[in-house]
């Protein structure tokens, strides 16, 4: 409960002062009021299913769907909050354990829907979640790694690579694993 409260407070704090992040301020400043609404609901629900057995992210996403339908929230907000809750740990793994310049990382993130506004919201939420867990665990190094991942995923190189994969899918061209591996630095 204390962690969830800290996450909610963190969303409010960063909303009021989006420049509180150094490396991520370009991301937090670009979020709309609607994005902040999604972040606030995600902060409230992201760990509610912990301790219920199984994957708390998936169970939390199911809880969002159930409760938001009961409250008659729009499908749009339900879908985005559900997605955030289900994927709230994805960027920390990618930023802190993988190569942000690797096409395989871009592809994995893209397949999970981590792109555009979702990428930006998730990056801000990842920072807030880490701070809410343990303020001492958040530092300049982690912020730089997370910012570098966002920049790499939004880079022209990544955009062109993901465009190639999208075009291959539309044209029903199967790209061999060796071809994709050869593109990975």
């Amino acid at each position: 409960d204390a962690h969830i409260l800290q996450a909610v407070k963190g969303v409010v704090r960063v909303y009021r002062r989006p420049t509180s992040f150094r490396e991520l301020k370009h991301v937090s400043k670009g979020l709309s009021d609607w994005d902040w609404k999604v972040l606030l609901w995600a902060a409230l629900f992201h760990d509610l299913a912990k301790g219920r057995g199984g994957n708390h992210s998936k169970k939390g996403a199911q809880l969002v769907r159930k409760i938001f339908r009961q409250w008659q929230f729009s499908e749009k907000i339900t879908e985005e909050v559900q997605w955030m809750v289900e994927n709230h740990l994805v960027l920390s793994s990618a930023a802190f354990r993988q190569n942000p310049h690797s096409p395989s990382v871009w592809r994995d993130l893209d397949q999970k829907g981590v792109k555009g506004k979702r990428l930006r919201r998730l990056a801000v939420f990842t920072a807030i979640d880490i701070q809410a867990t343990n303020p001492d665990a958040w530092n300049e190094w982690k912020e730089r790694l997370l910012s570098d991942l966002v920049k790499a995923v939004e880079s022209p190189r990544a955009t062109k690579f993901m465009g190639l994969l999208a075009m291959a899918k539309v044209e029903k061209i199967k790209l061999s694993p060796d071809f994709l591996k050869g593109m990975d630095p």
Side-chain angles (χ1 to χ4, degrees):
D1 293 347
H3 168 69
I4 290 171
L5 178 60
Q6 289 304 316
V8 169
K9 284 180 171 182
V11 170
V12 172
R13 178 180 41 80
V14 178
Y15 171 75
R16 288 184 178 155
R17 200 169 135 237
T19 57
S20 61
F21 292 126
R22 293 180 185 160
E23 296 283 329
L24 289 172
K25 69 181 173 191
H26 69 284
V27 175
S28 57
K29 284 172 63 175
L31 297 177
S32 68
D33 285 344
W34 193 83
D35 293 317
W36 289 104
K37 185 185 227 183
V38 171
L39 283 166
L40 195 56
W41 283 112
L44 187 60
F45 278 85
H46 79 285
D47 278 349
L48 279 184
K50 265 195 174 175
R52 294 183 180 204
N55 183 328
H56 83 281
S57 298
K58 288 193 183 299
K59 287 192 176 197
Q62 293 167 351
L63 186 62
V64 167
R65 175 142 308 276
K66 178 182 174 187
I67 291 174
F68 278 32
R69 282 193 171 156
Q70 288 174 353
W71 292 345
Q72 298 179 352
F73 280 19
S74 74
E75 185 60 30
K76 184 178 179 185
I77 191 88
T78 302
E79 184 179 306
E80 290 305 313
V81 173
Q82 182 180 359
W83 183 88
M84 286 284 297
V85 169
E86 187 168 344
N87 293 285
H88 75 276
L89 299 173
V90 169
L91 278 190
S92 60
S93 174
F96 308 141
R97 293 182 178 90
Q98 298 174 354
N99 177 0
H101 302 287
S102 169
S104 62
V105 171
W106 306 334
R107 187 179 68 245
D108 291 345
L109 291 174
D110 185 79
Q111 288 172 348
K112 292 174 182 166
V114 183
K115 51 189 161 192
K117 283 290 197 164
R118 283 181 168 179
L119 168 65
R120 292 172 161 263
R121 280 195 304 263
L122 197 55
V124 169
F125 187 75
T126 299
I128 290 169
D129 190 25
I130 293 169
Q131 289 175 336
T133 302
N134 178 357
D136 293 334
W138 182 249
N139 55 43
E140 289 178 20
W141 175 72
K142 285 184 180 173
E143 185 172 1
R144 190 172 32 253
L145 288 175
L146 190 55
S147 178
D148 288 348
L149 177 63
V150 171
K151 288 175 185 172
V153 170
E154 292 181 332
S155 72
R157 183 169 174 245
T159 304
K160 288 177 185 173
F161 177 76
M162 295 315 303
L164 170 72
L165 294 183
M167 186 174 58
K169 186 175 182 179
V170 167
E171 297 293 327
K172 297 179 182 169
I173 299 170
K174 184 167 173 126
L175 301 175
S176 75
D178 289 338
F179 172 78
L180 294 173
K181 191 174 184 178
M183 296 187 79
D184 206 335

